[in-house]
Amino acid sequence: MTETITLTPHSSSPTAKGFLTDTSLCIGCKACEVACKQWNQLPLDDLDWFGTSYDNTRKLGATTWRHVTFAEVPGAGGAGGQTNWLMMSDVCKHCQHAGCLEACPTGAIIRTEFNTVVIQQDVCNGCGYCVPACPYGVVDLNVEGSAADGKAHKCTLCYDRLSDGLEPACAKACPTDSIIFGDVIELQERAERRVDDLRDKGLPAYLYGNEEAGAGGGIGNLGAQFILLDDSARYNLPAHPSLPQDRTFGAVAAMAATALALTAATAWAFKKS
Amino acid sequence: MSDRATTPAHPAENGELITHNSQRTTSDAVQGSYYGLPVVKAPHWRWLVITYFFFGALAGGGFVVGTIAEFFSHDRALVRAARYLSLAAILPSPPLLILDLGRPERFLNMLRIVKLRSPMSLGSWALTGLSLFSGIAAGLQILSDLRGRPTMPLLSRIAAILGMPFAIFVCGYTGVLLAITNVPLWARSTYLLGPTFVASAFSSTVAALSLILGITGGEEKTGLRLARAGTVAVTAELTLLMLGLARLGKLGRPLTAPPLGLIFWPWTVGLGMVTPLIVLSGAVRGKQWSLRTRILTSLLALSGSYSLRMLMIFAGRKSAERPEDYFEMTDR
Ligand code: SF4
C-alpha cells in the first residue's frame, strides 16, 4: 500500500480510476448494493416497500454507497405504450472538482493517488458541511441507528481493494457488466462506442458525466460516469449541476462590500450631532 | 431479520397506502422526476447552529460597532457596551458549534488547515481571530473600568482595527456558508444572502446596544445615534431580503409560503423589521419615545433577527427536499 496522495485534482489524468455504469445492461438485481455492503461492512438499511417501485433503499446515504434506482416509465420504449423499467446503479461520482472535498474544513476529504475522492475517517469531525456541498446528494452523516458514529460517509471506490490491485466490490459482483471499473480515459472511449451502438439500435442513449451532461459547471468530468436512456431527472440526477465553491469569492466580496458600506453609514450616524 | 419476516402489518399490504403511492408514481413519472424523492441533502444543522448564527452576528457586530464608536463618536458608554456585548456573545459561540459536531472531541481539526474556498474553514478561522481581538478589547475595557482611567488606549485602538476584518467576516459569513451549497433556496440567492446577514447583524447589534444602554440609562444622544444607525441597518436588511426573494422567485416558496411563511411574514418581516423601522425612523425625526417603546422595539428587532436565521435554516431543509426546485436550478 502506497502513501502517495495526489493533490492535483484531475480525474481525466492517465492514472485516474473510475466506474462506467451502463444502465442499458442493468437488470436491477442489486448484487452491487449487497457486495458493497458486505465488503465495506455496512449495516442493513431500514428496508421497506414504499409502494412506488422495487427500489427499497431510495437514496445514497451514509450506509448505502450503491443504490439501484427503479423508475417505471409508462409508454416509454416505443412498443404500444408498454411500461419500461429504467434501472441504474447510482454511486458517488468521484468528481474531478468535488464539492464535498472543497467544502471540508478539516481536510478529511482527500484526492487519492487513484484520483478518487475519499473521506479519512480518522480526521472527519462531523461538521456536516460536505453534505449540502455535493451536487448529487451523495455524502451523508451517519447520525442515526446503531452504527452511528457522527461522521460523513460515502463510496471510497474501494480504496483498500484498489491498493491491493483488486477491482471495487460492486464492479466485481455485477453479473451483466453494467458496472465496469478501469482507467477513466479508457472507460470514456468505451462509453462513446457503446453510446453509438445503442443509438444505432434506436435507443436515445447518451453519456452522463462530462461538460455536455451531468457535470461541467466547474465540476469538470466525473470519475464515475453513466450511460443513460432517458432524461437524467428520471434517474434523480441533475442535468447541469455546478460546483458551489466557484461562487465563494463573489459571495464573500458582496458580503464584505455590504459590511463596508454599512460601516461607513454607521460612522456617519454616530458622528452627526 | 426474523422479526422483519414475521411482522404482519407490512405497509405494502395496506390498501390505502398503495392507492396513495401508486397515484403519486403516475403523476411524478409524468413530471419526469424520480418519485418526488430529494436529489440533494440539507445539512443536519438545527437549534445549536441557529443560536450560534444569532450570537455570532452579535459578537461580530458588537466589535464592528465598538470600533466605529471608538473612532467616530467619542461616546465612551457606547464603546464600552459594544465591547462587552461582543465578548458576551462570543463566549457561547464555540461551545454551540462544538456541540453540533458529530465528533465534538475533534473540533480542533477545524484549525489544521486553511481552505480559501470553504466558508466553513474561513469562518472557523475568523471566529478564532475575533475571539482573540474581542478578548483584548474587552479585557482592556474591563481594566479601564476597574481602574477608572483608560488602560493602554493605543493597544486597545490597534486591536480595534486589527480585529475588524475578522469581525466583519463573522457578521456575514454565515449567509455565505449557506449560499455555497446546492440547496436551491440558499444557492440561488448566493450574492444576496451574505449581504442580508451582514445587514441583519448590524441591525440586531444596534438593537441589543439600544436595549442595554436604555436599561442602564445612557445619554439621550446615544439613543439618537443608535436610532439613526438602526434605521439605516434595518432599511438595508429589509431591502436586501426582498431583493433576495425577488431573485429566488418560485424557489423562495419554502420560506414565503405556508407553513413557514405564516411565521416569516408577520414575525420576521412585520414585527422584526417593519415595526422597528417605523419606530426608529420616528425617533430620528425627533418624535419622543418612551423607554418602554425603546426596549420593546429592540426586543422585536432581536427576535426578528433570530427568526430570520431560524427560518432560513428550516426553509433550506424544505428546499432540499424538493427535487423540482433543484432540477429547475440545474436546468441551465
Ligand atoms: S459526487 Fe458528491 S460525494 Fe462524490 S466526489 Fe462528487 S461531491 Fe463528493
Side-chain angles (χ1 to χ4, degrees), chain A residues 127-188:
Chain A
C127 79
Y129 196 43
C130 53
V131 174
C134 171
Y136 310 94
V138 171
V139 60
D140 203 7
L141 281 194
N142 195 355
V143 285
E144 277 160 23
S146 53
D149 61 1
K151 294 183 284 188
H153 296 271
K154 69 170 193 71
C155 158
T156 68
L157 216 132
C158 281
Y159 180 77
D160 49 351
R161 291 176 60 93
L162 259 54
S163 306
D164 285 341
L166 299 169
E167 67 176 320
C170 55
K172 179 90 189 165
C174 178
T176 64
D177 269 355
S178 171
I179 301 172
I180 49 177
F181 164 80
D183 292 324
V184 170
I185 288 179
E186 265 171 44
L187 290 177
Q188 253 159 4

Side-chain angles (χ1 to χ4, degrees), chain B residues 178-179 181-190 193 244-245 248-256 260 311-320 325-326 329:
Chain B
L178 299 184
T181 62
N182 289 296
V183 174
L185 179 85
W186 303 337
R188 184 48 91 74
S189 57
T190 288
L193 206 53
L245 290 182
L248 280 170
K250 257 173 38 196
L251 299 190
R253 265 195 239 143
L255 178 65
T256 57
L260 294 184
L311 293 177
M312 267 304 170
I313 294 225
F314 286 125
R317 194 181 286 279
K318 285 184 172 289
S319 174
D325 285 9
Y326 188 58
M329 188 177 102

Side-chain angles (χ1 to χ4, degrees), chain A residues 30 33 45-59 64 67-68 70, chain B residues 4 10-25 28 34-35 37-38:
Chain A
K30 303 188 200 188
E33 282 192 21
D45 291 298
D46 198 10
L47 295 182
D48 229 332
W49 298 111
F50 296 99
T52 47
S53 84
Y54 287 118
D55 182 350
N56 57 3
T57 40
R58 303 234 273 187
K59 54 180 196 272
T64 310
H67 161 231
V68 182
F70 288 74
Chain B
R4 203 165 277 285
H10 201 281
E13 287 156 22
N14 179 323
E16 244 184 297
L17 190 71
I18 288 173
T19 317
H20 167 78
N21 281 334
S22 49
Q23 274 167 1
R24 191 175 165 181
T25 306
D28 286 334
Y34 185 69
Y35 304 112
L37 292 173

Side-chain angles (χ1 to χ4, degrees), chain B residues 23-305:
Chain B
Q23 274 167 1
R24 191 175 165 181
T25 306
T26 321
S27 69
D28 286 334
V30 169
Q31 287 160 18
S33 96
Y34 185 69
Y35 304 112
L37 292 173
V39 183
V40 284
K41 292 183 168 70
H44 66 282
W45 308 330
R46 283 170 200 271
W47 297 107
L48 291 169
V49 167
I50 293 167
T51 308
Y52 160 68
F53 276 18
F54 178 73
F55 281 125
L58 293 178
F63 193 92
V64 171
V65 171
T67 301
I68 300 171
E70 164 99 49
F71 287 95
F72 292 94
S73 76
H74 310 291
D75 186 335
R76 293 319 304 175
L78 184 53
V79 175
R80 179 191 299 123
R83 291 198 170 145
Y84 285 162
L85 172 68
S86 175
L87 184 69
I90 217 165
L91 289 177
S93 296
L96 285 167
L97 286 177
I98 290 169
L99 282 176
D100 189 68
L101 295 175
R103 299 298 287 259
E105 77 279 11
R106 291 186 180 171
F107 74 94
L108 275 177
N109 284 4
M110 290 286 191
L111 305 180
R112 71 188 273 277
I113 191 171
V114 183
K115 284 169 102 170
L116 296 179
R117 274 155 64 92
S118 167
M120 180 70 95
S121 173
L122 293 175
S124 307
W125 283 104
L127 189 60
T128 309
L130 178 62
S131 305
L132 176 70
F133 290 108
S134 181
I136 295 175
L140 291 175
Q141 186 65 49
I142 293 171
L143 283 181
S144 311
D145 289 347
L146 289 177
R147 297 162 71 201
R149 61 191 160 82
T151 306
M152 294 192 265
L154 185 64
L155 178 63
S156 156
R157 292 187 140 216
I158 291 173
I161 290 178
L162 291 183
M164 275 296 266
F166 299 98
I168 283 179
F169 203 84
V170 171
C171 280
Y173 89 93
T174 47
V176 176
L177 184 84
L178 299 184
I180 307 305
T181 62
N182 289 296
V183 174
L185 179 85
W186 303 337
R188 184 48 91 74
S189 57
T190 288
Y191 303 112
L192 289 162
L193 206 53
T196 308
F197 274 47
V198 160
S200 171
F202 272 78
S203 78
S204 52
T205 302
V206 168
L209 290 171
S210 184
L211 180 71
I212 296 166
L213 292 165
I215 293 171
T216 57
E219 296 173 60
E220 198 177 312
K221 266 207 166 141
T222 309
L224 186 62
R225 285 192 180 106
L226 288 171
R228 219 182 283 128
T231 308
V232 174
V234 181
T235 307
E237 183 183 14
L238 200 53
T239 313
L240 289 163
L241 181 62
M242 292 306 137
L243 284 175
L245 290 182
R247 167 86 184 108
L248 280 170
K250 257 173 38 196
L251 299 190
R253 265 195 239 143
L255 178 65
T256 57
L260 294 184
L262 297 178
I263 312 174
F264 177 71
W265 292 111
W267 181 14
T268 312
V269 176
L271 292 175
M273 295 178 199
V274 176
T275 311
L277 185 58
I278 293 170
V279 179
L280 289 173
S281 57
V284 170
R285 276 184 274 107
K287 251 198 213 145
Q288 285 301 314
W289 58 334
S290 66
L291 184 58
R292 268 224 344 250
T293 318
R294 183 167 159 183
I295 290 175
L296 196 67
T297 312
S298 302
L299 288 175
L300 283 179
L302 284 170
S303 80
S305 132

